[in-house]
Amino acid sequence: MKKEELLKMKQDHVPKGVSQALPAVIAEAKGAMVRDVEGKEFIDFSGGIGVLNVGHSPDEVVKAIRDQAGKYLHSCFMVQIYEPYIALAKEMNELVSRKTPMKTMFVNSGAEAVENGVKIARYYTKKPGIICFENAFHGRTAMTMSLTSKVKYYKFGYGPFMPEVYRIPYAYCYRCSYGLKYPSCNIYCADFIQEKFFDLYAAAESIGAIVVEPVQGEGGFIVPPKEYLGKLQKICRDNGIVLVIDEVQTGFARTGKMFAYEYSIDEPDILVTAKSLAAGLPLGGITGKAEIMDSVEAGGIGGTFSGNPVSCAAGLAVMKMLKEKKLTVRAQEIGTKVMARFRSFQEKYSFIGDVRGLGAMNGMEIVADRKNPKPNPDLTKAIVKRCYEKGLILLTAGGFSNVIRHLVPLVITDEQLDKGLRILEEVMAEKVE
Ligand SMILES: Cc1ncc(COP(=O)(O)O)c(C=O)c1O
């Protein structure tokens, strides 16, 4: 079917709330390249929003999916158990455990993983309160929407939201909510919890979890100082709070380590994952300290489709690829190259206010002017649109929709990466003319 016909058919049959930033219609894809229904090729810097760390349709994963699909598609893990689920849980536990035994359960999405992380933390601590952050994104279900920060169009009109959810500033140093500067601030935004929050907002005795992204994704690729997570972990340990780390977007080699928390702390209490876990098949994971995970009574967690065998088989193939192709190392190489280019763009173009990133998770914040860092969402949108016309798929992010984010498949070739960066630079040069 032709592109225009499909776009019209979509308009007629799919609600407009399920929207797309670009009029892109995929026909086939491999690695970091996408072909649309008109045969036009695109370099994909979006990776299906961070799902395709191992690239589009890798042969190894497709084979694992085919093999599993030929055996059985479903049994429901609560009815008959199966090997791919258990083997993937073991892999996850081995990846995360440093000294504490871990256990893993699977669900269908990132939001569902966060929901379960919160559910388990509450059950374990018997405390209902949850601390979350400005610019956080955790999903679109009732609880995860409540934890999410951006109002329009993620929350506006969908309330009321969950009680006992408290939002505080994140370590967003470029736009510090306290007007402080790192490092002289000594990361006050974390100390604030102990120094003020427990007296003025909610007692530590009523807080069950802190839910945090180690690098904020949807919120604008905000990289906190390395010590930040450690400070949060200490507050959690001192006060009997579970630290729930949301690595739905940062996980599986994206940031140059298997998980971004590894830059700062030894082990999470609970880690939630999804996106790149199964290369595009729906799968989320909750990995946590065995004592916490096993606090839940039999029957308290699970779901009909949760940990589908085909998704788990894909997940096992992803794990193998991540290791064999040394994708953490590749993410660091990509990140070094991209950050150098982004910084050179920043020197040239005064509408780039901030450049930041960890590994191959990189962003540029687009502003009116560096001396007047008012967010510039219109220019951000225009850059992304023009890049698409020239064959590069890019995404925006940020509470003010003014961040260009870079989430390439980690299997991208140097040639493809250079070409994509060249297109981006050409477009930015056009914008200043
Ligand atoms: C950090 C983070 N958590 C949770 C989610 C929700 O994941 P899903 O869209 O699979 O529900 C996302 C999605 O972008 C995310 O980036």
Side-chain angles (χ1 to χ4, degrees):
M1 199 175 273
K2 293 251 165 57
K3 181 172 165 177
E4 295 314 317
E5 274 173 62
L6 269 169
L7 288 169
K8 166 79 176 64
M9 204 162 139
K10 185 248 159 190
Q11 207 174 2
D12 291 345
H13 296 285
V14 182
K16 73 172 190 295
V18 189
S19 68
Q20 295 73 37
L22 299 166
V25 184
I26 187 169
E28 55 185 337
K30 199 83 190 158
M33 300 303 293
V34 177
R35 196 189 307 274
D36 79 0
V37 286
E38 290 172 338
K40 185 170 172 188
E41 284 227 310
F42 294 85
I43 299 168
D44 187 359
F45 272 18
S46 77
I49 321 193
V51 170
L52 302 167
N53 289 359
V54 293
H56 284 275
S57 302
D59 293 343
E60 300 90 321
V61 178
V62 172
K63 180 175 182 316
I65 292 169
R66 286 210 172 101
D67 289 351
Q68 180 55 44
K71 291 180 196 157
Y72 54 93
L73 293 174
H74 175 79
S75 74
C76 184
F77 198 73
M78 298 183 298
V79 179
Q80 292 165 90
I81 63 166
Y82 41 86
E83 186 175 334
Y85 187 123
I86 301 162
L88 188 59
K90 181 169 179 280
E91 282 268 347
M92 285 298 299
N93 298 337
E94 284 167 5
L95 274 179
V96 178
S97 172
R98 290 288 173 274
K99 49 184 194 291
T100 318
M102 297 277 165
K103 288 202 171 177
T104 295
M105 68 171 284
F106 295 109
V107 291
N108 302 293
S109 69
E112 210 188 332
V114 177
E115 286 271 354
N116 277 279
V118 168
K119 215 172 126 173
I120 295 165
R122 278 180 164 170
Y123 199 83
Y124 174 71
T125 59
K126 305 283 178 261
K127 300 195 283 182
I130 311 293
I131 295 178
C132 62
F133 295 89
E134 282 177 8
N135 284 298
F137 183 85
H138 297 289
R140 296 170 182 275
T141 60
M143 171 49 89
T144 58
M145 218 179 9
S146 306
L147 297 171
T148 288
S149 182
K150 192 172 178 175
V151 180
K152 279 190 181 171
Y153 289 93
Y154 294 148
K155 304 176 70 157
F156 179 70
Y158 303 123
F161 299 106
M162 293 292 195
E164 296 294 336
V165 171
Y166 301 90
R167 186 176 316 287
I168 61 170
Y170 189 75
Y172 184 7
C173 300
Y174 182 62
R175 296 183 189 276
C176 177
S177 292
Y178 300 105
L180 300 172
K181 283 259 172 295
Y182 177 78
S184 58
C185 65
N186 200 24
I187 319 193
Y188 172 73
C189 53
D191 292 341
F192 162 84
I193 300 173
Q194 194 72 60
E195 288 179 19
K196 268 199 183 158
F197 181 91
F198 291 144
D199 288 323
L200 301 181
Y201 294 78
E205 292 86 338
S206 67
I207 298 294
I210 294 180
V211 180
V212 65
E213 295 159 87
V215 175
Q216 287 186 324
E218 188 62 36
F221 279 35
I222 301 167
V223 187
K226 287 220 163 59
E227 316 90 283
Y228 180 61
L229 217 50
K231 284 204 167 208
L232 295 183
Q233 185 183 57
K234 178 161 187 335
I235 292 164
C236 286
R237 286 186 175 165
D238 290 349
N239 294 284
I241 295 169
V242 173
L243 183 62
V244 178
I245 298 188
D246 179 347
E247 295 241 18
V248 167
Q249 192 156 155
T250 47
F252 304 107
R254 169 58 48 194
T255 64
K257 293 201 184 275
M258 197 56 92
F259 299 108
Y261 72 75
E262 292 172 47
Y263 284 99
S264 309
I265 62 167
D266 52 355
E267 290 177 333
D269 296 328
I270 290 180
L271 170 73
V272 296
T273 54
K275 290 201 187 270
S276 274
L277 171 56
L281 264 68
L283 191 64
I286 303 99
T287 302
K289 293 184 170 164
E291 183 197 333
I292 299 175
M293 299 297 280
D294 276 336
S295 70
V296 176
E297 311 300 330
I301 43 181
T304 305
F305 293 122
S306 297
N308 170 272
V310 184
S311 297
C312 288
L316 284 165
V318 167
M319 294 296 159
K320 203 156 171 261
M321 270 189 83
L322 289 168
K323 283 181 212 155
E324 284 178 4
K325 293 192 180 296
K326 297 191 171 49
L327 290 181
T328 49
V329 177
R330 182 63 183 145
Q332 287 171 19
E333 284 166 10
I334 292 171
T336 304
K337 185 174 234 179
V338 171
M339 288 301 281
R341 288 296 290 278
F342 279 12
R343 287 202 183 99
S344 77
F345 298 162
Q346 190 185 25
E347 277 167 27
K348 273 198 214 157
Y349 307 116
S350 69
F351 57 77
I352 301 176
D354 193 29
V355 166
R356 48 190 183 241
L358 191 63
M361 185 167 180
N362 321 93
M364 287 190 285
E365 187 155 335
I366 308 297
V367 295
D369 183 88
R370 211 164 306 132
K371 291 195 199 87
N372 166 24
K374 191 167 169 282
N376 193 341
D378 293 340
L379 178 56
T380 315
K381 205 169 158 188
I383 291 172
V384 167
K385 181 167 175 284
R386 185 72 186 119
C387 282
Y388 170 72
E389 288 161 4
K390 289 171 80 88
L392 175 67
I393 297 179
L394 265 184
L395 291 171
T396 62
F400 309 108
S401 310
N402 70 320
V403 176
I404 288 180
R405 58 170 144 174
H406 171 266
L407 278 173
V408 285
L410 303 175
V411 293
I412 194 166
T413 64
D414 283 335
E415 199 188 358
Q416 291 161 345
L417 182 62
D418 289 342
K419 188 166 172 207
L421 289 167
R422 245 188 343 264
I423 294 176
L424 181 56
E425 174 150 39
E426 281 164 20
V427 169
M428 287 192 300
E430 281 174 19
K431 294 297 159 199
V432 285
E433 276 162 13

